[in-house]
């Protein structure tokens, strides 16, 4: 029977454990982790993501600072805000929601964030530290959440064939790098890949982050494969806006060994990992030990499902 990987429940438990650790930090060290989130423009999906990130940070016991800037904001103004937040002792993590409008260079903005406050893991210093497998650096939230789900469901991944669909800096590239570090045989597929269906059918682990509604059907999936669907696509069905993944869930679940649903799969894990990265950044800034066992603690009394 196919396992439905319940990212929503996993993330709730992880957030609860993060909240517990923040409680300890606040009481013992009189430190409250602070997360600053910057949104430029009024893109509806980004507004929802940013609101969820800020609310969940507050619920976990963090200070949350939200900045909403007009779509027409000049780059210098945004860079000035980042510089101010870099020097603000109450802010330990800075997130600028992407994408940004065309007058603003994403690269300039990302590089302006102090690497120790870069809780997205997008700064070139963190990208380099993660890509070299140094064990240091900040792992981007979505790939980190995917790896946690995969590790929990599969345990050992050594030698498995992994296919990552998509080559973005946010998901595809770091995801492929983490799977490689887990000793998988990794292929990255993208818009120019030939015989995509055949590539998918060879994969023991399939991670899709292309943003194309229901592109992957059950007939593209290897029987027993573990499928992680990162896609969040808004579609109108029966007069209602619904969220669907890159994978056609109903046909895929007939074939896959385990699969994440959309919504309720990777999305909640991304936000939980953002809180985790903010807590880790706070500890680093005060040279306090980070509770490395936080994930195993959060999930420790949970029955591990057979792959
Ligand atoms: N836009 C889509 N995903 C992300 C993310 O993980 N971080 C930021 N900053 N922007 C995003």
């Amino acid at each position: 029977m196919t396992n439905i990987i319940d990212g929503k429940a996993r993330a709730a438990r992880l957030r609860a454990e993060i909240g517990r650790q923040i409680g300890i930090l606040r009481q013992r060290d009189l430190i409250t982790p602070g997360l600053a989130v910057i949104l430029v423009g009024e893109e509806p999906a980004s507004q929802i993501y940013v609101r969820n990130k800020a609310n969940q940070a507050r619920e976990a016991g963090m200070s949350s600072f939200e900045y909403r800037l007009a779509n027409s904001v000049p780059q210098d103004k945004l860079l000035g805000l980042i510089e101010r937040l870099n020097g603000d002792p109450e802010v330990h993590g800075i997130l600028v929601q992407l994408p940004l409008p065309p007058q603003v260079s994403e690269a300039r903005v990302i590089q302006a964030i102090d690497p120790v406050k870069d809780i997205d893991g997008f700064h070139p210093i963190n990208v380099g530290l993660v890509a070299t497998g140094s064990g240091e650096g900040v792992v981007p939230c979505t790939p980190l959440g995917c790896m946690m789900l995969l590790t929990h469901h599969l345990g050992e991944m050594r030698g498995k064939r992994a296919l990552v669909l998509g080559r973005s800096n946010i998901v595809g590239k770091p995801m492929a790098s983490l799977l490689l570090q887990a000793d998988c045989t990794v292929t990255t597929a993208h818009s120019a890949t030939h015989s995509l269906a055949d590539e998918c059918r060879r994969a023991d682990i399939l991670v899709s982050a292309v943003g194309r509604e229901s592109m992957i059907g059950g007939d593209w999936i290897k029987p027993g494969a573990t499928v992680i669907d990162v896609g969040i696509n808004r579609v109108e069905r029966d007069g209602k806006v619904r969220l669907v993944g890159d994978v056609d869930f109903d046909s895929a679940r007939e074939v896959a060994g385990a699969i994440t649903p959309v919504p309720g799969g990777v999305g909640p894990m991304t936000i939980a990992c953002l809180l985790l990265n903010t807590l880790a950044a706070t500890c680093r800034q005060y040279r306090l030990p980070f509770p490395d066992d936080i994930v195993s603690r959060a999930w420790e009394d949970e029955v591990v499902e057979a792959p």
Side-chain angles (χ1 to χ4, degrees):
M1 211 188 80
T2 307
N3 267 314
I4 309 300
I5 302 174
D6 190 346
K8 190 174 168 191
R10 295 274 149 72
R13 294 174 68 120
L14 186 51
R15 287 199 311 274
E17 181 58 25
I18 293 167
R20 204 177 70 78
Q21 296 292 343
I22 289 173
I24 294 171
L25 206 60
R26 287 175 65 160
Q27 265 215 325
R28 185 193 58 196
D29 304 296
L30 304 178
I31 295 166
T32 302
L35 171 65
V37 181
I38 303 173
L39 173 65
V40 181
E42 273 120 41
E43 219 269 302
S46 292
Q47 283 187 333
I48 295 170
Y49 295 144
V50 163
R51 194 182 325 129
N52 288 341
K53 286 170 183 178
N55 285 345
Q56 292 187 21
R58 265 189 295 273
E59 277 165 29
M62 295 187 185
S63 299
S64 166
F65 308 95
E66 270 179 77
Y67 299 87
R68 289 167 189 270
L69 306 178
N71 203 51
S72 58
V73 70
Q75 176 170 285
D76 283 351
K77 191 167 172 199
L78 178 54
L79 294 176
L81 172 60
I82 293 169
E83 203 178 313
R84 186 156 66 73
L85 295 172
N86 281 341
D88 186 337
E90 305 225 328
V91 171
H92 307 98
I94 302 170
L95 179 146
V96 181
Q97 185 68 23
L98 304 178
L100 291 168
Q103 78 277 11
V104 181
S105 154
E106 265 180 28
R108 282 287 303 277
V109 166
I110 288 167
Q111 286 173 37
I113 299 172
D114 183 336
V116 298
K117 295 193 178 186
D118 165 36
I119 34 84
D120 263 322
F122 295 164
H123 191 286
I125 287 188
N126 285 317
V127 173
L129 287 169
V130 170
T132 51
S134 66
E136 290 176 46
V138 181
V139 179
C141 305
T142 302
L144 179 58
C146 293
M147 285 306 285
M148 285 178 188
L149 294 176
L150 282 168
T151 307
H152 185 70
H153 277 266
L154 290 173
E156 181 63 50
M157 282 183 265
R158 188 181 178 78
K160 292 201 183 291
R161 279 183 184 276
L163 180 72
V164 179
L165 279 114
R167 53 178 159 177
S168 69
N169 291 334
I170 297 180
V171 185
K173 285 182 201 157
M175 189 73 224
S177 170
L178 295 174
L179 287 164
L180 190 59
Q181 285 166 37
D183 293 325
C184 291
T185 302
V186 184
T187 304
T188 302
H190 45 77
S191 50
T193 298
H194 294 297
S195 311
L196 186 57
D198 291 338
E199 292 289 349
C200 289
R201 284 188 203 109
R202 271 194 284 273
D204 303 307
I205 296 170
L206 197 154
V207 181
S208 182
V210 288
R212 294 204 29 206
E213 171 206 342
S214 308
M215 184 181 84
I216 300 158
D219 57 336
W220 284 26
I221 291 170
K222 180 176 176 176
T226 304
V227 178
I228 304 289
D229 191 352
V230 181
I232 301 177
N233 308 292
R234 271 153 223 278
V235 297
E236 222 186 289
R237 285 200 188 144
D238 310 324
K240 282 191 189 153
V241 175
R242 295 184 46 195
L243 298 182
V244 297
D246 294 344
V247 179
D248 175 45
F249 186 77
D250 290 338
S251 62
R253 71 181 296 183
E254 300 293 323
V255 189
I259 183 168
T260 57
V262 178
V266 174
M269 284 299 296
T270 295
I271 303 188
C273 288
L274 175 71
L275 305 185
L276 191 67
N277 281 353
T278 306
L279 174 60
T282 308
C283 292
R284 222 174 299 124
Q285 283 160 58
Y286 291 98
R287 297 185 201 286
L288 290 168
F290 174 67
D292 279 326
D293 58 350
I294 204 160
V295 181
S296 53
R297 269 175 185 272
W299 295 349
E300 72 187 347
D301 57 341
E302 203 170 8
V303 178
V304 178
E305 294 140 42

